[in-house]
Amino acid sequence: AVALVIHLIMLSLTWRDLNKRPDAAVRGKKGLCRLATLLNTSGSVTYWLFGRRTGSESSLVGPDA
């Protein structure tokens, strides 16, 4: 039960962040990120560690990327 609660909290925080971020600020496709986070908690952890671009990275990517 505790693991389910943790998963739901992480899922909620991750999806909220994905909704706020522009496409250029996310590595990969947002839909795939959502699917990975829905399947298990490690998907959310992976998104927070590797899926987000930092401010300097997202400014280097143009709108056509």
Side-chain angles (χ1 to χ4, degrees), residues 4-37:
L4 178 62
V5 170
I6 291 171
H7 174 71
L8 292 175
I9 291 170
M10 291 292 296
L11 182 70
S12 173
L13 293 173
T14 303
W15 282 26
R16 186 177 303 159
D17 186 72
L18 279 167
N19 287 335
K20 290 181 184 179
R21 285 186 176 277
D23 290 342
V26 177
R27 290 187 181 106
K29 297 186 185 255
K30 285 185 176 184
L32 290 177
C33 290
R34 285 189 179 96
L35 179 62
T37 59

